[in-house]
């Protein structure tokens, strides 16, 4: 029997107590906190925001989903309003539960996920050939680009936070990964020899190896004007087709395919099977090499032969969603720049999560430096380019390029990265310059929950007049402030209320800390517990924990990182140092007790795992 070390924090300081309880090495340290703490305002706001989110999500779910988990809408194929949008209506719900939200939230998003898989397997097209037997095959979209696949995977990619032992989740994580690792004969998307995904358009029925048509993107003809809310402003089906007339060049690899790495990351984190890690690192490395060979710019086309630009008439900047992609918007008649390469940094973040290797962040630093090297002064303002075509650089934006720079600093914690990044209210708080930010951010998200609840009540749409994306903005889940204050986490998310620089979907959790309820054996803080991350450095995190209950003690596990990737060396509550040397530590909070803890950490030294701390 191992001896668990247990420290008691009270007026006499921090003392070690041998409990003689059996334990696992990863959760050996146990800290007892008895010091009284009056509930801070931020703590009460956190608890209220967890409650309000759950209440509003329950009302939203009853309104827009049926008892099967089907989203109540007019089902269509297409990039505008297709299957990926239906499941996005529960974006943020897995994070809400993993923070400590009500169990009903988990039950709802799980039912919605299972329901939408059945719903869009049953839904079929007439005109679009690839989806005539169902929009999903093997529970995955038959063929689309990863700008949209990633949105459809947003819920699934964080399902493992609260439900890592779900057999269906584990099976899908492996099956979906197989579609992009050359293991599924129905989905020959990947060429392992050349390390390319063969097309921008890919899925469970394989890659598109021809020119795409507007119909492939827009879906079957349907009634538009006067019946549906159209997010992109089209007033006719013809305009919907026109939107995609120039989306033809899809053959060959594109950086958007890096979003597929999150599938392999999830599969790896189930039981650490090396092949998933090896594929992820190998594919990201291939893109890093391509950038280096292309003047430190990620090319937007790599041909099926592995040569940069070979499936785009030799142009490194070619292809749909590439550096030179500025199609006409039929609703305005103007060309709009739609370079999606800058969104694809998540693949490099996934590689960094697995390795802690700075070379993956350096790919993006060098790309930003290259863009800023092309800067110009126009009408007295410095501008940087965002696009490149036959006539050179264009798509000028004011200022220097700082895309994703705060996110890069969040990972590296290097002073040099901080100087390259803009300011941000959260960062100002972490640096001691914005003390009111936690309350301001939490109140803002509480106000948003109320606003979305009102919007849902005022919505007059019905299932036969509602497209899959019609009420995305009404989704009440507002988790950004909770993720930042409680976990020190990035919220790389869609829709646009995310405060990070990358407005995309399909991200895993990137967090400095996570919490688990030691008594209920579930993800998230226990009832009545609140947490506020005050500072984060390369090797230290300071967090205040408080139990707002005056009658019940609470046991909470603090984990280093979203997936235990950080090792907690020691814990200091101000009265003495407690060694931990594990990815997690258990804290017992007496009724009405709280303390500010400084955790010394070695970051990115453990292989990430979905397993709960007590099972490692």
């Amino acid at each position: 029997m191992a001896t668990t070390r247990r420290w008691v924090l009270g007026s006499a300081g921090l003392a070690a107590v041998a409990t003689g309880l059996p334990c696992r090495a990863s959760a050996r340290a146990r800290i007892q906190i008895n010091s009284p703490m009056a509930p801070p305002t931020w703590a009460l706001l956190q608890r209220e925001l967890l409650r309000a989110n759950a209440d509003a999500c329950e009302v939203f779910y009853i309104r827009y989903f049926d008892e099967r988990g089907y989203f109540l809408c007019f089902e269509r194929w297409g990039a505008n309003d297709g299957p990926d949008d239906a499941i996005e209506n529960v974006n943020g719900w897995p994070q809400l539960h993993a923070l400590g939200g009500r169990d009903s939230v988990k039950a709802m998003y799980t039912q919605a996920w299972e329901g939408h898989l059945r719903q869009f397997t049953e839904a079929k097209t007439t005109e679009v050939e690839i989806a005539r037997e169902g929009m999903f095959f093997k529970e995955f979209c038959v063929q689309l680009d990863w700008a949209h696949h990633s949105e459809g995977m947003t819920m699934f990619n964080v399902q493992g936070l609260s439900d890592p032992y779900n057999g269906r989740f584990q099976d899908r994580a492996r099956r979906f990964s197989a579609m992009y690792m050359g293991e599924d004969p129905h989905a020959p998307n990947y060429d392992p020899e050349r390390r390319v995904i063969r097309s921008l358009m890919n899925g469970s029925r394989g890659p598109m190896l021809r020119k795409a048509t507007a119909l492939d993107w827009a879906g079957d003809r349907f009634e538009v004007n006067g019946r549906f809310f159209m997010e992109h402003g089209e007033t006719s089906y013809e305009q919907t087709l026109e939107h995609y007339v120039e989306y033809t060049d899809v053959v060959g690899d594109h950086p958007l395919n890096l979003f597929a790495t999150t599938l392999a990351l999830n599969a790896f984190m189930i039981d650490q099977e090396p092949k998933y890690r090896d594929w992820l690192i190998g594919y990201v490395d291939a893109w890093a090499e391509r950038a280096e060979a292309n003047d430190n710019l990620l090319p937007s086309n790599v041909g099926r032969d592995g040569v940069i630009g070979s499936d785009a008439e030799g142009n490194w900047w070619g292809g749909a969603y590439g550096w030179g992609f500025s199609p006409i918007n039929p609703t305005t008649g103007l060309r709009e720049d739609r370079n999606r390469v800058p969104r694809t940094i998540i693949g490099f973040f996934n590689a960094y999560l697995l390795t802690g290797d700075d070379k993956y962040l350096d790919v993006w630093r060098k790309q930003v430096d290259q863009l800023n090297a092309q800067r110009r002064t126009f009408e007295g303002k410095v501008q940087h380019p965002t696009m490149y075509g036959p006539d050179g650089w264009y798509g000028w934006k004011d200022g220097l390029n700082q895309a994703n720079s705060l996110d890069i600093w969040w990972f590296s914690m290097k002073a040099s990265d901080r100087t390259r990044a803009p300011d941000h209210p959260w960062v100002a708080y972490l640096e001691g310059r914005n003390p009111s930010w936690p309350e301001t951010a939490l109140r803002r998200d509480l106000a948003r929950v109320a606003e979305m609840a009102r919007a849902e009540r005022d919505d007059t749409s019905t299932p036969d007049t509602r497209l899959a994306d019609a009420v995305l903005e009404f989704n009440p889940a507002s988790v950004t402030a909770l993720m930042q204050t409680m976990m020190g986490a990035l919220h790389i998310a869609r829709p646009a209320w995310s405060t990070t620089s990358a407005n995309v979907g399909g991200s895993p959790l990137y967090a400095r800390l996570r919490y688990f309820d030691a008594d209920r054996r579930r993800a998230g803080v226990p009832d009545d517990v609140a947490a506020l991350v005050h500072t984060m450095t390369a090797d230290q995190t300071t967090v205040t924990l408080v139990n707002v209950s005056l009658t019940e003690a609470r046991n909470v596990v603090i984990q280093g990182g979203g997936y235990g990737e950080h090792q907690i060396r020691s814990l200091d509550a101000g009265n003495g140092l407690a060694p931990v040397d594990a990815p997690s530590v258990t804290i017992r909070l007496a009724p009405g007790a709280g303390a500010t803890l400084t955790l010394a950490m070695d970051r990115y030294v453990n292989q990430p795992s979905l397993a709960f701390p007590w099972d490692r």
Side-chain angles (χ1 to χ4, degrees), residues 43-280:
L44 299 175
L45 287 169
Q46 280 185 359
R47 296 307 313 178
E48 174 61 14
L49 185 51
L50 287 169
R51 183 203 62 76
N53 265 307
D55 286 350
C57 288
E58 288 173 358
V59 173
F60 181 92
Y61 193 81
I62 291 170
R63 168 76 185 274
Y64 294 115
F65 291 82
D66 69 13
E67 67 281 355
R68 302 167 296 174
Y70 286 29
F71 183 68
L72 298 172
C73 69
F74 181 77
E75 297 156 358
R76 290 199 70 251
W77 169 264
N80 270 17
D81 44 39
D84 62 297
D85 292 317
I87 193 58
E88 283 193 278
N89 285 285
V90 295
N91 280 358
W93 298 25
Q95 292 94 327
L96 175 60
H97 184 269
L99 285 158
R102 201 174 297 154
D103 282 337
S104 62
V105 174
K106 177 183 170 186
M108 290 184 295
Y109 71 69
T110 302
Q111 185 185 62
W113 172 254
E114 296 293 338
H116 112 284
L117 293 178
R118 293 189 300 271
Q119 182 177 8
F120 289 96
T121 298
E122 296 166 1
K124 299 174 173 60
T125 58
T126 300
E127 300 174 60
V128 179
E129 182 178 1
I130 194 69
R132 286 175 181 166
E133 298 302 315
M135 299 178 189
F136 284 180
F137 173 61
K138 293 186 174 180
E139 301 183 316
F140 196 90
C141 183
V142 291
Q143 195 176 80
L144 208 55
D145 65 291
W146 268 96
H148 294 91
H149 281 323
S150 67
E151 294 170 1
M153 289 286 106
T154 298
M155 200 295 299
F156 177 77
N157 282 343
V158 285
Q159 185 179 4
L161 295 176
S162 289
D163 210 9
Y165 309 119
N166 183 316
R168 290 179 175 179
F169 164 77
Q170 293 188 355
D171 173 65
R172 287 167 185 148
R174 297 183 179 108
R175 282 194 293 107
F176 295 168
S177 296
M179 296 174 185
Y180 291 91
M181 294 171 58
E183 297 178 348
D184 184 342
H186 291 107
N189 296 303
Y190 188 63
D191 180 343
E193 180 182 350
R194 297 175 176 85
R195 292 184 296 172
V196 296
I197 293 176
R198 295 183 173 97
S199 177
L200 171 67
M201 297 282 271
N202 52 69
S204 58
R205 291 197 182 277
M208 179 180 287
L209 300 178
R210 58 167 173 81
K211 293 275 189 182
T213 68
L215 179 66
D216 293 320
W217 288 91
D220 292 358
R221 178 174 294 276
F222 71 116
E223 178 186 354
V224 174
N225 193 25
R227 178 177 176 185
F228 296 107
F229 161 75
M230 300 295 289
E231 184 178 11
H232 301 283
E234 298 92 343
T235 58
S236 67
Y237 175 71
E238 285 69 29
Q239 277 193 340
T240 302
L241 280 176
E242 289 171 23
H243 183 97
Y244 292 107
V245 164
E246 298 181 62
Y247 286 58
T248 56
D249 294 329
V250 300
V251 178
D253 209 349
H254 187 289
L256 277 170
N257 290 327
L258 283 159
F259 280 108
T261 60
T262 307
L263 299 178
L265 177 66
N266 267 311
F268 173 75
M269 291 192 297
I270 292 169
D271 56 11
Q272 320 284 285
E273 190 170 352
K275 70 175 182 178
Y276 298 109
R277 184 184 191 276
D278 293 345
W279 178 84
L280 190 161

Side-chain angles (χ1 to χ4, degrees), residues 60 74 147 149 194 309 332 392 427 523 540 557 572-573 591:
F60 181 92
F74 181 77
H149 281 323
R194 297 175 176 85
T332 64
V427 177
Q540 213 171 68
V557 178
D572 186 354

